[in-house]
Amino acid sequence: MNQSAKSYSPLQVALIGGAIATTATMSVFGPAWTRGVRAALALQDSPKAIVDQVWQLVNHEYVDGKFNQQNWQATRQSLLSKDYSSREEAYAAIRVALQTLGDPYTRFMDPQQFEALTSQTSGEVSGIGIRMEVNEKTQRLTVVEAIENSPALKSGIKAGDEILAIDGKPTLKMKVDDASKLIRGKAGTPIKLRLGRKGQNAFDLKLTRANIEVPTVLYTLKQEGNRRVGYIRLREFSAHAAEQMQRAIRDLNSKKVDSYVLDLRGNPGGLLQASIEIARMWYDNGGIVKTVDRVGGTEETKANRTALTSRPLAVLVDGNSASASEILTGALKDNKRAVVVGGQTFGKALVQSVHQLADGSGLAVTIAHYYTPAGTDINHKGITPDIKLDLTEAQERQLASNPDLIGTKSDPQYARAIAILSNNNFAQPPANQPTRPMSRADNLKF
C-alpha cells in the first residue's frame, strides 16, 4: 500500500464530521473579532467569560434561527446569572444549554477533547508512528503496523511486536487509548519501549518522538481476471487526504489501471474542503454540493475541470459512511460518474463551524445544511446505493476478524463492484471530457 502527503491547519478550512466526528470552518466573525474577544477573555480569566463566548457564537452562527423554539436570550440571562466556582462547572452548564438545541453535532469540547479533534482532522500525530491493538488471543498490546517514514519503522519495529512496557510502565491489561496517551508527546522528546518479538528475548528500544503524517489513503493495484483495478480505501477526510488521494490516483494511472474501486465504508467524514477537492479528481463538470445557511443563503460548489482520470469507478459505502463521505458519494452518484455499491449511508447533512475558545476549549456549531447536486436532502435518510447489498452478520464478523479479506473476492461488496465494472460502462463519464493533472494552485483553492 502507498500513501501521499500535504499539510495545512484544520482551523483554516471547513470540516464535515460524520457519525463520530464534526465539522469546522474559520470563525464568521473574522480574525480581528476573534483576537479581540480572546484578548478580552484572557484578561477576564473567568469561567463566565467562556460561557458567554459560547453563547455569542451560537447566537451568531447556529443554523436554526429559532434555536429549536428555545428563548436563546433567556438562556444567556440564566447562564450569566450564575457564579461558577470552576471551569468544569461552567463547562457543565454550557453542555446543558447546548442540549436544548436538540442537535448532537453542536457541542462543547474541553481542552483535551478539542486537542484530540484538531489532531484527528490535521492528519498528523506527534509520537512514534505505530498502530496498536490488544491481541484477542494473547491479550497483549501488539503492533499492527509501523507507519511509513516514522521513528518506529526506522528503528525496526515490526507488525506483531508486543509492547511490554512504555517508559518502564508495564502494559499488561492496558487499554489502547491509555497506551496511546503514554506514547504520544512533543516531537523531539525521548521514549523507551520494552518489546517482545517471537523467537527473541524481550528487548528495550529507545526512540525519539516526531510529527508524523497519518496515512488516510491506502491503495493497491489488483489483477481481477483480465482487468487491472485500482483499489483505494479512504479512512477519513483529514487535512492530508486530498494530497494522498491525488498521489494514489496518479500512481495507479501510471500503472494503466482499467477501472477503480473507491472504498468509503466506515469513513465517518472530516474536512469539507477535502471532500470537494477529491470529488474534483474524478470528474470535470457538474455540481458537488450545495450548502444553505439559516437565512437561506446558498453556496454551490462545482467541479473545475481538474479530473485526474475518466476510468470506470465503483464506490463502496455502508451505514458508517457519513457526512463528507456522503458528500463525495452523492456527487459521484448524481453526476453518474460512479456506481455505488453497499449499504444505506449514515445520513448526516449538516455542516459545523469549529472554534477554539480563549482557554483552549472548543465549540462546534452547526451552521448549514447541505444537499447533493440533484438537490436531495439525505439528513436522517442517507444515500441509497445503486446496488444495495448489505453484509450479513456472519460476513461482517469474518471481515472484522480478518481485515486482509477486505477488498478481495471474499468481500461480497467488493466482489459485486468488480462484477459490475467488468460487465458494463455505467461508471464511466462521457468520453469527450478532457482531463489534466491537478496543479498545486488548484489543490489550494478554498
Side-chain angles (χ1 to χ4, degrees), residues 253-322:
N253 281 346
S254 72
K255 295 173 181 175
K256 308 298 182 185
V257 297
D258 299 302
S259 54
Y260 283 92
V261 174
L262 176 60
D263 194 343
L264 299 178
R265 292 174 296 178
N267 185 320
L271 292 166
L272 171 60
Q273 187 61 33
S275 69
I276 292 170
E277 290 180 13
I278 290 172
R280 286 172 172 164
M281 296 177 195
W282 293 103
Y283 59 98
D284 278 325
N285 300 297
I288 296 174
V289 66
K290 180 175 77 171
T291 58
V292 181
D293 63 23
R294 74 175 178 185
V295 296
T298 64
E299 182 177 349
E300 295 187 52
T301 305
K302 298 182 178 181
N304 60 355
R305 307 191 70 81
T306 57
L308 300 179
T309 179
S310 61
R311 293 296 185 185
L313 171 65
V315 177
L316 305 182
V317 295
D318 63 11
N320 292 314
S321 303

Side-chain angles (χ1 to χ4, degrees), residues 126-300:
S126 179
I128 62 172
I130 57 173
R131 296 185 187 277
M132 302 175 292
E133 68 177 8
V134 174
N135 185 283
E136 290 185 2
K137 294 180 180 179
T138 66
Q139 292 300 304
R140 290 187 177 277
L141 197 64
T142 305
V143 175
V144 175
E145 176 191 12
I147 295 173
E148 187 176 342
N149 294 322
S150 67
L153 189 66
K154 293 174 182 176
S155 69
I157 291 179
K158 301 177 180 179
D161 286 350
E162 295 180 346
I163 303 175
L164 306 178
I166 303 170
D167 282 333
K169 186 173 184 178
T171 61
L172 189 62
K173 297 184 180 181
M174 185 180 289
K175 296 179 180 178
V176 171
D177 286 347
D178 293 332
S180 295
K181 291 176 183 177
L182 294 175
I183 290 174
R184 291 177 182 172
K186 187 177 180 181
T189 58
I191 181 173
K192 184 174 76 171
L193 301 181
R194 186 161 184 79
L195 300 176
R197 181 174 295 169
K198 190 174 181 179
Q200 297 185 27
N201 295 326
F203 61 96
D204 292 328
L205 192 63
K206 294 181 179 179
L207 304 94
T208 301
R209 295 181 178 93
N211 290 323
I212 305 156
E213 177 187 334
V214 178
T216 190
V217 174
L218 305 177
Y219 69 95
T220 189
L221 172 66
K222 294 178 176 287
Q223 189 70 41
E224 303 291 0
N226 62 353
R227 299 184 68 85
R228 295 168 67 82
V229 177
Y231 173 74
I232 304 176
R233 189 172 186 187
L234 177 59
R235 289 173 170 167
E236 62 183 346
F237 292 79
S238 71
H240 289 286
E243 184 75 13
Q244 291 182 16
M245 180 66 71
Q246 180 188 83
R247 187 174 298 176
I249 296 172
R250 284 179 169 166
D251 188 27
L252 291 167
N253 281 346
S254 72
K255 295 173 181 175
K256 308 298 182 185
V257 297
D258 299 302
S259 54
Y260 283 92
V261 174
L262 176 60
D263 194 343
L264 299 178
R265 292 174 296 178
N267 185 320
L271 292 166
L272 171 60
Q273 187 61 33
S275 69
I276 292 170
E277 290 180 13
I278 290 172
R280 286 172 172 164
M281 296 177 195
W282 293 103
Y283 59 98
D284 278 325
N285 300 297
I288 296 174
V289 66
K290 180 175 77 171
T291 58
V292 181
D293 63 23
R294 74 175 178 185
V295 296
T298 64
E299 182 177 349
E300 295 187 52

Side-chain angles (χ1 to χ4, degrees), residues 24 29 59 103 105 144 152 160 171 251 269 271 279 283 291 317 323 335 351 393 407:
F29 299 108
N59 189 53
D103 174 17
Y105 304 109
V144 175
T171 61
D251 188 27
L271 292 166
Y283 59 98
T291 58
V317 295
S323 208
N335 284 282
V351 181
E393 289 186 8

